[in-house]
Amino acid sequence: MSRETFVVLCAAAAAMCGCQSSKVKISGRIVGTEPRNIYLEEVTPLRQTIVDSTVLAADGSYLFRLRDIAASPSLYNVVYDNERIPLLVEGGDRVTVNSAGSVVRNYTVEGSAESELLREFYQAFVVGAQHLDEIASRFAEPNLSEERHRELMKEYTNEYFRIRREQLRFIVENKSSLAAVYALYQRLPGDSYLFNGDGDVVYYRTVAEAVAERYPGSPYVGALQAEVARMDAQAGLASKVSELNYPDLELTDMYGEKVRLSKVAEGKVVLLDFWSAELGTSNALNADLKELYAKYAGRGFEVYQVGIDTSKPLWITAVQEQQLPWKSVTDLRGRASSALVVYNVQRIPANFLIDREGTIVGKNLYGRSLEEKLEQLLP
């Protein structure tokens, strides 16, 4: 399963400005095992952190108390015997989590509507994944006949698609629930996509719209919309490349006007440059680029610079203070920008040099190496 990606969707839940906060109580009993440590894990944008721990009492009971918890649901895991029980809790919740025997397979939740709904999906999903593992282990049977191999393949395939159908059913039927957001990001072993690759965007968009209606202003909405934008960008990448030899972009400048990369690049050698005012390391690189721009702009050189930022005032201030003379644009999505996905940019700064024929002829060229390439391309 892919908890890492879902972590990003919990980003602002615990840090929303102006929201009320209160106490949360998580308690219950875990029976049928020897008393041992039980942990409470908080899921944040950057990591999963153990925030509390205790030892089960003789009767298997435990208690966690949290303070200053946001009114908007946040993700926590109750961790016991290397198994995780996910909870979506909000300020004021009094949650009871009980289990007997196998923790994940048998746990129950009361006192949190979102957590109860999440249990409905998660428990069945984990049980199904464990069943798949059990079937897969049988392929190692000694002297496995061809007929037995076919039987196991059929059994595995049937179970695999049964789980996926149930996952889809849960998401569609509970599209306005935050539990559906969690379900979107769970993967069976070997899965890169939820159902059929690019078509997944339909489910992400459906959930994003439904959650926005039920929880106006929820931080999950923005994260889901960014995911939809990335998937849309990837879906359209092939057609854009076939038409232009490079992926086209259309982003907004500081005046709110849409600026298309292909329009800027018409008849020009263009540098597509990715930078960030928020990183604070752009001044020197932009200063060098300004010198090259002054030297070659008259010969047909242009720059289309994409700001990977989230603060519009900070980005505009940097553009104005540095007196950047070229096309400066952004979508204000920071690292969630679809432009990064389209060009597979892993780190900032980065750039791509596109010649007059629309071919990408250089990548991450700076200073002298960029100037040498411009001399070759510009008469």
Side-chain angles (χ1 to χ4, degrees):
M1 294 180 295
S2 179
R3 287 194 305 272
E4 291 79 4
T5 310
F6 180 71
V7 166
V8 179
L9 292 183
C10 299
M16 292 178 65
C17 296
C19 63
Q20 295 180 341
S21 63
S22 60
K23 300 176 182 178
V24 167
K25 175 183 175 183
I26 302 173
S27 61
R29 292 182 64 201
I30 296 180
V31 299
T33 63
E34 292 294 325
R36 64 185 73 177
N37 287 344
I38 183 170
Y39 305 91
L40 185 65
E41 183 178 62
E42 180 184 17
V43 180
T44 70
L46 299 178
R47 58 185 180 274
Q48 297 171 206
T49 306
I50 299 296
V51 294
D52 201 357
S53 66
T54 188
V55 179
L56 293 183
D59 65 351
S61 62
Y62 66 92
L63 171 64
F64 295 117
R65 294 185 185 275
L66 299 172
R67 296 177 180 274
D68 300 325
I69 303 303
S72 179
S74 302
L75 180 65
Y76 286 83
N77 292 320
V78 172
V79 185
Y80 183 76
D81 197 23
N82 294 318
E83 293 190 283
R84 283 175 168 79
I85 297 175
L87 303 173
L88 284 164
V89 299
E90 58 189 78
D93 278 347
R94 301 294 181 264
V95 186
T96 302
V97 182
N98 296 320
S99 183
S102 175
V103 176
V104 170
R105 294 172 72 100
N106 299 317
Y107 80 90
T108 61
V109 179
E110 296 178 356
S112 166
E114 285 284 6
S115 295
E116 292 178 44
L117 190 59
L118 180 55
R119 183 207 62 79
E120 178 185 326
F121 162 76
Y122 182 69
Q123 202 166 56
F125 186 86
V126 169
V127 169
Q130 290 174 344
H131 187 200
L132 283 180
D133 288 341
E134 189 273 327
I135 297 172
S137 68
R138 294 187 225 156
F139 284 93
E141 293 174 358
N143 303 317
L144 188 69
S145 67
E146 190 66 32
E147 181 180 359
R148 176 60 173 161
H149 186 273
R150 286 195 298 269
E151 291 175 353
L152 289 176
M153 283 295 297
K154 182 178 180 180
E155 184 180 359
Y156 187 95
T157 301
N158 289 342
E159 177 66 359
Y160 181 86
F161 284 104
R162 183 196 68 78
I163 297 169
R164 286 160 68 101
R165 285 194 300 270
E166 286 301 304
Q167 187 177 10
L168 173 58
R169 179 196 62 78
F170 180 88
I171 291 170
V172 172
E173 292 182 358
N174 302 282
K175 59 186 178 182
S176 65
S177 168
L178 296 178
V181 179
Y182 187 94
L184 275 173
Y185 289 92
Q186 305 314 299
R187 300 290 182 269
L188 292 171
D191 272 354
S192 297
Y193 301 104
L194 179 59
F195 294 101
N196 59 352
D198 293 338
D200 293 354
V201 70
V202 173
Y203 307 112
Y204 285 84
R205 184 178 286 111
T206 297
V207 174
E209 291 174 353
V211 171
E213 183 175 349
R214 182 176 177 182
Y215 299 103
S218 167
Y220 298 95
V221 175
L224 280 170
Q225 289 172 340
E227 188 74 12
V228 169
R230 287 196 296 268
M231 298 177 82
D232 282 340
Q234 285 182 308
L237 177 58
S239 61
K240 291 175 182 176
V241 171
S242 63
E243 293 170 5
L244 297 168
N245 296 326
Y246 62 88
D248 202 2
L249 298 175
E250 187 178 57
L251 300 172
T252 306
D253 65 15
M254 70 175 69
Y255 306 107
E257 298 294 328
K258 293 286 188 179
V259 181
R260 186 174 288 275
L261 171 60
S262 57
K263 188 68 175 178
V264 174
E266 284 181 355
K268 301 288 185 71
V269 173
V270 63
L271 182 73
L272 170 61
D273 187 63
F274 295 90
W275 74 301
S276 174
E278 295 175 4
L279 291 179
T281 58
S282 62
N283 293 34
L285 290 176
N286 279 340
D288 289 343
L289 186 55
K290 283 172 65 177
E291 291 185 9
L292 291 179
Y293 187 79
K295 182 176 181 179
Y296 293 101
R299 294 164 59 178
F301 176 52
E302 192 52 79
V303 175
Y304 186 93
Q305 191 171 58
V306 180
I308 305 303
D309 295 290
T310 57
S311 170
K312 187 173 184 178
L314 180 62
W315 172 69
I316 290 178
T317 299
V319 171
Q320 292 179 330
E321 288 184 346
Q322 296 181 41
Q323 299 181 9
L324 303 183
W326 45 72
K327 299 297 182 181
S328 295
V329 295
T330 184
D331 59 9
L332 295 177
R333 287 175 174 161
R335 294 287 178 171
S337 173
S338 60
L340 295 180
V341 177
V342 167
Y343 278 87
N344 193 29
V345 175
Q346 303 297 321
R347 30 177 36 179
I348 303 297
N351 66 40
F352 298 83
L353 188 63
I354 303 170
D355 68 12
R356 296 181 191 273
E357 285 69 46
T359 301
I360 297 176
V361 294
K363 179 179 178 182
N364 295 334
L365 301 173
Y366 297 94
R368 185 60 184 169
S369 60
L370 176 57
E371 184 171 10
E372 291 175 352
K373 197 68 178 177
L374 291 176
E375 281 291 340
Q376 297 174 13
L377 297 173
L378 296 171

